[in-house]
Amino acid sequence: MGNVFEFPLKQHIGNKAAACVVKGDVIHRGQLLALQGDGLGCNIFSSVSGKVLEITDESVSVEADEKQTTDYIPLKSEEPLDLIKEAGLVGLGGAGFPTYAKFAKPFEKGGNVIINAAECEPILGHNIKRIEDNPKQLIRGLEIAMDISNAKHGYIAIKECHKAAIEALKNVNTNSKIIIKSLEDIYPMGEERAVIREVLEKLLPVTALPLEAEAIVINAETACRIQEAVDLKKPLIDKDLTVAGKIKGCEAKVKIQTFLDIPLGKKVSDVFEMAGGLSKEYGELIMGGPFTGKRTNLEKPIIKTTGGLIASECFMKGPEKIGLLVCACGANKERMEQLAKSLGSEVVGVEYCKQAMEVNGTRKCENPGKCPGQVAKVMSLKKAGAQGLLISNCTDCSNTVMSCAPQLGLPVYHCTDQALRAVNHKLIRKIK
Ligand code: SF4
């Protein structure tokens, strides 16, 4: 079998797209493969030229021609919002919310568009790489977003540690309505409500939408793809990625690589090959960042919400009985159970950070990154028989856990450990 690209029909929040090609169709890069149906959803385009190989209920597969080009079939719409919708743009930071829907109702007065350029997850660096390479594109994407939404102000929220990117943005920004706002370098400063809190000084309740703070928040790459959709009539067919970890022959300094414009649908195995090839031994493959990424495998395709691919360090042996302390902004309970199993540990208790509120079947933090205290949770897990803790807490809460658990004889493991060890990154532990 040749080089097969797979395009899932649901890569976003909302309804599955409906395939509009048939097996055997000859396809060009930028051709529509699946159409957004009624309700929330988005179109899916081919990132390669080739032939439709298979259509299932879940995806369209295309056998790619040997020779590929970077050109594409342009979008047909004329108006900016129509182009964003036609392009199949979604939140590329991982949320996958269809972008056009965020702009459905323009602000009547005031209003703020905030670019989330925090690049909050450790290891990931592709958003910052694009900003450093082409800061004008982000500014232009933000200006388009401000025009469509009738917003008075635009903000670019970016961690203070990304000094070169901040400098690059300052050098090209001539728009007095756009403000660059630096964020503290802690996790989870990129959480949507944390970004609004830091930029607009308003802490929204967990059930509120950004519009309640007169804000629309979009990820940095999404803003750049808005520029491409509107100015270049380019559908969403390429994705920026960070590839990291146990890569063959990599010196420590190149254990983290960033790639811009990788065609969507490419297999995980092919992306690792492109980065140098996987090492013989690794713990797991993670799609996403160390905190919120999910385990994946070599056969999966790159989709619109993929930001990172990490081959983690091999798992160490955990304690026989382990307690889980789950954060709303880090690995969820199911992921923590998976990690505990990989550590060879039996889960004897599960606690949630007391700020991790349940909202519509998921968890959201009441005040992201500001620790409410963890001692009671640690004690409760010890009482349940835990001989060690696996935590997914934010920076501040991990500090708190580290200030009490070891004294109680409980070693602490963090959900990010294997990924961070693979790139020689400092572990999420007590920060001095
Ligand atoms: S305060 Fe708790 S729920 Fe919120 S980010 Fe920190 S650990 Fe997670």
Side-chain angles (χ1 to χ4, degrees), residues 377-404:
K377 303 288 180 182
V378 171
M379 301 279 281
S380 166
L381 290 168
K382 183 167 170 81
K383 211 167 157 199
Q387 298 158 340
L389 302 182
L390 174 60
I391 67 173
S392 60
N393 300 98
C394 63
T395 314
D396 199 28
C397 291
S398 296
N399 283 345
T400 313
V401 173
M402 288 306 293
S403 67
C404 61

Side-chain angles (χ1 to χ4, degrees), residues 188 327-330 353-356 365-372 374 392-394 397:
C327 159
C329 306
C353 170
K354 71 179 175 198
Q355 287 193 151
C365 178
E366 284 183 306
N367 196 5
K370 311 270 185 196
C371 182
Q374 302 294 345
S392 60
N393 300 98
C394 63
C397 291

Side-chain angles (χ1 to χ4, degrees), residues 7-13 44 90 96 264 302-305:
F7 303 90
L9 299 172
K10 186 162 165 30
Q11 313 186 15
H12 50 267
I13 291 175
I44 311 277
V90 301
L264 287 169
I302 300 304
I303 62 170
K304 295 180 182 186
T305 51

Side-chain angles (χ1 to χ4, degrees), residues 25 32 163 271 358 369 380:
D25 275 1
L32 191 65
K163 291 192 182 350
V271 177
E358 198 159 358
S380 166

